[in-house]
Amino acid sequence: MNRKKIINVIPYILALFVIFSLLNVSSMNNTERFASNTFMNKAESMTFKDVNISVGSVKLTVSGYYVNNGKDVSFSATIPNTDENLNWLQKVLDEGTNSINIVDPADSSRWMELLMPIGSLLLLGGLSFYLFTKVMQQGGSNKQAFEFTKSRHRVESNVKVRFDDVAGCEEEKEEVKEIIDYLKDPKRFSDMGARIPKGILMVGPPGTGKTLLAKAVAGEADVPFFSISGSDFVEMFVGTGASRVRDMFKSAKKAAPCIVFIDEIDAVGRQRGAGMGGGNDEREQTLNQLLVEMDGMQENTGIVIIAATNRPDVLDPALQRSGRFDRQVTVSLPDKKGRTEILQVHARNKKLASDVSLENLAKRCPGFSGADLENVLNEGAILAVRENRKEITMNDLGEAIDRVMMGPAKKSKKYSENEKRLVAYHETGHAIIGLKLENANIVEKVTIIPRGHAGGYNLMLPEEEKMFPTKKDFMDQITGYLGGRVCEEVVFNEISAGASNDIQEATKIAKAMVRSYGMSKLGPIQYSDESGNVFLGRDYSSNGANYSSEIAFEIDKEIRRIINECYENCKKIIMENRDLIDLIATKLIEEETLTSEQIMNLATYGQMTKPQVEECNPIELVDDMSHVPNNSKIETAEEGMVTTPLDGHEGNIVVQDGEDKDPVEPKN
């Protein structure tokens, strides 16, 4: 048992000692004590049991039990030690006592004389030791005040993550592969006079795998991985953050070669002078120290700084200059191929059914990040466990996509009949536009079961993912968003609040067309601020617009013109396909959910399933030509090929060896 455990046991020992003392005092308080005269007067009328007699030089101590109303009562009495009293006592006790024990008082007093001082010393020593230890611990807490400035980084010396565990970012891997080569053999670079980047800044939306990619670099290079968050540097005490930065770099130099990963660096690396109260706050001092440490890193020291953020627009310019973060790697959302690879990585430990197609699943998840895709597979596994299935089916994964995007289905929420028809026609309006417009998003699935805040749900996917959408693409997308509202207006001659999100998305696209992409009558001029999200310290004195009020009026007119043009086009399509809308809406009310295949069958065949086509009888080949009219003009070559005469040609046509001997070319 070590010293710390002994210290922790001492309070329990003292507590037990106190408890035993209290029990002893309590038992003594329950003992009835008799004076010598009182005992001698009552003793002859009392019935005794189990009496102990302690014979002293001056007194006789009698203790034991006597019977009172059928109960044993503890007693104690002291009488003078004379021969007459001793004989009387023996005579009285012999009449009713079960046993009499004669105790030598010298033995008991000797042990008590020995134990009492030792026990007192032990108790005093234990109490003193415990108090002294507590004082030392309090002194140690003052010592911890110096450790408060130590870096809070976490170190992984044996990273298991490899590039095979990171999918959907092949170009990003190529950008960091040379870092691995440098960490494995830095002499190759120094001999060539090459300077490896001191820092790599990874930029991208949340969940795209920036941290995982940085960890994979450390795993491939087999070097220690120092990880820390930007918020771990900043404290309320002045100088703490700067001290932690110094300590982190000091530890990294001892472990070099290594990788230092700073997650969410925007927490400490924001623009200086944005505090609106001077530049002497703790965060800015921490940033200054980080800049100094990165400048002080010598070339080829074996330390590579990798930082990640999704807000590069707020970072201080000095942090991004060459010599600090030399290289910026953009980790963007994966395309269809990347999503398929990511799903394959996360499906390694999943039991998938035979009907699961990860490629089809990736097609249904445009705009999903790696974290979202992992969540889809996890939700599918949870649904399979909930239904007591042994494998994850495609239906589980389809429901998982809906849950990730919109939340769980609210099947207990019931519509009135009028609301149900309204929602069905609204969702059908989106589906019709997806069918009739070439560049509109195609409806993959439509349901009138409520999810989240939506009364119905339309999974609309682009026919193909484009890097550079055209004006026609944007116009058709806006028309698709307006399909639900226009269908309500045409069918019910009424509009509802259900199209609020559709109007918001359509307006957002129209604004981008006018202000950012130059797709309006205002020409190729940018009227939007592309600096990113609002940063209070930088944008406090800015009104957010870099154009005049007259231009703002023209922008509003163009946005309204685009929306109105798409609205009229949408209304025309809805009016022309009213019968098909009624058919799809009726089936949607009955089934509550329709897939893209069922919608296509309704549009093509008028029913939800593809009709069966009768099989044709196989052609019978015969050698006899007697049933063919004018068979006298038909000759058969040795190979058995039959030819027919051409229109306007007299004579027979003879084909030999597979070649046409007729001078006139045959018709198609």
Side-chain angles (χ1 to χ4, degrees):
M1 185 179 293
N2 55 29
R3 179 179 177 183
K4 187 175 181 179
K5 292 184 177 179
I6 294 176
I7 294 172
N8 294 332
V9 169
I10 289 178
Y12 298 101
I13 297 176
L14 296 177
L16 290 175
F17 183 81
V18 173
I19 291 173
F20 287 135
S21 301
L22 293 176
L23 291 176
N24 189 25
V25 172
S26 176
S27 62
M28 293 178 63
N29 292 334
N30 294 331
T31 301
E32 187 175 354
R33 299 182 180 278
F34 294 103
S36 59
N37 294 333
T38 304
F39 178 73
M40 295 180 72
N41 292 333
K42 295 183 177 182
E44 295 182 358
S45 60
M46 299 170 63
T47 302
F48 297 96
K49 294 175 64 176
D50 298 333
V51 177
N52 297 323
I53 301 175
S54 177
V55 181
S57 59
V58 179
K59 60 182 179 179
L60 299 173
T61 303
V62 184
S63 61
Y65 296 91
Y66 75 93
V67 180
N68 184 12
N69 295 329
K71 296 181 179 181
D72 295 342
V73 181
S74 176
F75 79 96
S76 177
T78 303
I79 60 177
N81 184 5
T82 62
D83 293 339
E84 182 181 358
N85 289 342
L86 183 60
N87 293 331
W88 171 83
L89 184 61
Q90 291 178 349
K91 179 181 177 181
V92 171
L93 296 179
D94 284 341
E95 294 180 356
T97 305
N98 294 333
S99 63
I100 300 176
N101 298 321
I102 305 299
V103 180
D104 186 0
D107 294 338
S108 60
S109 61
R110 187 180 304 115
W111 281 109
M112 290 299 295
E113 289 175 357
L114 290 175
L115 291 177
M116 286 299 293
I118 294 175
S120 300
L121 289 174
L122 289 176
L123 180 62
L124 182 62
L127 183 62
S128 301
F129 181 73
Y130 178 73
L131 294 176
F132 176 76
T133 304
K134 282 296 182 183
V135 171
M136 290 300 294
Q137 288 180 351
Q138 291 180 357
S141 64
N142 294 330
K143 184 179 179 180
Q144 291 178 358
F146 296 98
E147 297 180 357
F148 185 73
T149 59
K150 297 292 184 181
S151 174
R152 296 184 178 181
H153 60 265
R154 294 161 293 279
V155 184
E156 294 182 47
S157 56
N158 188 16
V159 180
K160 302 295 184 181
V161 182
R162 297 294 185 268
F163 274 169
D164 292 339
D165 302 317
V166 185
C169 50
E170 298 303 322
E171 293 77 9
E172 291 80 357
K173 291 180 186 178
E174 293 295 330
E175 286 292 316
V176 296
K177 277 185 178 179
E178 60 194 26
I179 301 297
I180 300 172
D181 297 335
Y182 162 69
L183 292 173
K184 287 183 176 180
D185 188 10
K187 190 174 184 300
R188 290 175 52 200
F189 293 85
S190 60
D191 291 345
M192 190 61 64
R195 181 183 64 83
I196 204 70
K198 293 182 180 179
I200 297 177
L201 182 64
M202 293 188 178
V203 178
T208 50
K210 299 183 289 294
T211 303
L212 190 64
L213 182 59
K215 189 172 290 188
V217 174
E220 291 286 347
D222 195 19
V223 296
F225 182 72
F226 288 70
S227 61
I228 191 171
S229 174
S231 60
D232 289 335
F233 291 114
V234 182
E235 292 286 351
M236 63 178 294
F237 302 104
V238 176
T240 301
S243 178
R244 289 179 178 177
V245 170
R246 289 191 294 268
D247 183 70
M248 182 188 68
F249 277 87
K250 181 180 179 181
S251 301
K253 289 177 182 178
K254 293 179 180 179
C258 65
I259 288 179
V260 177
F261 177 69
I262 306 176
D263 197 11
E264 305 297 343
I265 194 173
D266 54 277
V268 68
R270 295 194 176 191
Q271 277 184 276
R272 290 169 289 183
M276 296 183 296
N280 196 28
D281 66 340
E282 170 60 13
R283 184 191 55 76
E284 292 191 1
Q285 301 306 318
T286 306
L287 174 59
N288 291 336
Q289 187 62 43
L290 180 62
L291 297 175
V292 171
E293 290 292 337
M294 293 192 72
D295 264 348
M297 290 172 54
Q298 298 178 358
E299 297 180 6
N300 302 322
T301 55
I303 302 175
V304 177
I305 310 296
I306 301 179
T309 181
N310 50 19
R311 290 293 306 275
D313 54 295
V314 303
L315 294 180
D316 194 273
L319 195 63
Q320 303 181 66
R321 74 159 173 82
S322 299
R324 292 189 177 119
F325 285 102
D326 303 276
R327 182 174 299 175
Q328 180 170 314
V329 178
T330 301
V331 186
S332 55
L333 293 172
D335 56 6
K336 179 184 174 182
K337 179 183 176 183
R339 293 195 298 270
T340 304
E341 295 173 353
I342 292 173
L343 288 171
Q344 291 172 350
V345 170
H346 293 299
R348 292 173 181 172
N349 62 338
K350 304 290 190 304
K351 297 180 179 179
L352 302 179
S354 58
D355 66 332
V356 173
S357 172
L358 295 180
E359 185 176 357
N360 292 338
L361 187 66
K363 184 179 178 181
R364 296 180 58 183
C365 304
F368 276 38
S369 65
D372 294 330
L373 295 172
E374 190 276 334
N375 193 22
V376 167
L377 290 176
N378 184 62
E379 287 289 339
I382 292 174
L383 291 173
V385 173
R386 186 179 299 173
E387 298 295 332
N388 296 321
R389 284 192 290 271
K390 300 298 183 181
E391 294 179 325
I392 305 172
T393 64
M394 198 65 181
N395 290 334
D396 294 329
L397 297 175
E399 174 65 20
I401 293 175
D402 297 340
R403 292 172 68 92
V404 171
M405 294 180 65
M406 300 292 294
K410 299 180 180 179
K411 297 182 179 180
S412 61
K413 185 177 180 180
K414 299 299 181 183
Y415 288 121
S416 65
E417 291 301 323
N418 292 334
E419 287 180 328
K420 195 170 186 178
R421 289 188 71 242
L422 179 68
V423 175
Y425 275 94
H426 178 99
E427 304 301 339
T428 303
H430 292 299
I432 289 296
I433 301 301
L435 288 174
K436 299 302 178 180
L437 282 184
E438 180 181 358
N439 298 311
N441 290 341
I442 301 174
V443 175
E444 180 72 21
K445 175 182 177 181
V446 58
T447 178
I448 58 175
I449 299 175
R451 285 185 181 271
H453 298 289
Y457 169 52
N458 240 312
L459 179 58
M460 303 178 68
L461 305 177
E463 185 175 0
E464 61 177 345
E465 299 179 32
K466 298 181 179 180
M467 292 187 62
F468 303 104
T470 63
K471 180 179 180 181
K472 179 69 167 130
D473 294 330
F474 288 130
M475 296 292 285
D476 287 354
Q477 288 180 23
I478 294 174
T479 306
Y481 280 119
L482 297 176
R485 178 187 173 96
V486 174
C487 194
E488 292 179 17
E489 183 179 353
V490 171
V491 176
F492 300 100
N493 196 24
E494 184 63 274
I495 56 177
S496 69
S500 59
N501 186 65
D502 298 332
I503 295 173
Q504 179 182 354
E505 293 298 325
T507 306
K508 184 187 300 183
I509 296 175
K511 283 184 176 179
M513 292 175 63
V514 177
R515 300 177 58 188
S516 300
Y517 305 140
M519 297 179 179
S520 69
K521 295 180 180 179
L522 295 179
I525 302 176
Q526 187 183 67
Y527 295 107
S528 62
D529 186 5
E530 294 297 324
S531 60
N533 298 326
V534 174
F535 180 36
L536 184 61
R538 179 191 60 208
D539 303 327
Y540 179 74
S541 59
S542 175
N543 59 6
N546 55 357
Y547 45 82
S548 64
S549 58
E550 289 80 4
I551 293 296
F553 176 69
E554 293 295 328
I555 290 174
D556 292 339
K557 285 176 60 178
E558 283 299 301
I559 293 173
R560 189 180 300 110
R561 182 189 62 80
I562 291 174
I563 296 294
N564 290 338
E565 182 179 338
C566 295
Y567 195 91
E568 294 300 325
N569 187 27
C570 180
K571 191 172 184 179
K572 178 182 177 182
I573 296 173
I574 296 293
M575 296 289 290
E576 292 174 351
N577 297 274
R578 177 61 191 276
D579 293 339
L580 181 57
I581 290 175
D582 291 335
L583 176 61
I584 296 177
T586 302
K587 294 297 182 181
L588 186 57
I589 293 173
E590 295 175 0
E591 302 293 332
E592 292 189 338
T593 300
L594 295 178
T595 63
S596 60
E597 182 180 0
Q598 292 173 329
I599 295 174
M600 289 297 296
N601 289 336
L602 287 172
T604 306
Y605 308 110
Q607 60 186 40
M608 293 176 59
T609 57
K610 187 176 181 180
Q612 297 293 330
V613 180
E614 295 184 1
E615 296 182 358
C616 299
N617 294 327
I619 299 175
E620 184 179 357
L621 300 177
V622 295
D623 295 333
D624 187 10
M625 304 293 294
S626 60
H627 63 284
V628 180
N630 299 324
N631 57 15
S632 61
K633 295 184 178 181
I634 301 176
E635 294 182 4
T636 305
E638 294 181 359
E639 290 80 2
M641 296 183 62
V642 179
T643 62
T644 58
L646 297 174
D647 295 338
H649 176 70
E650 296 181 356
N652 297 334
I653 302 174
V654 180
V655 178
Q656 294 179 353
D657 299 331
E659 296 181 359
D660 191 355
K661 302 299 184 179
D662 186 68
V664 181
E665 294 184 0
K667 297 181 180 180
N668 293 331

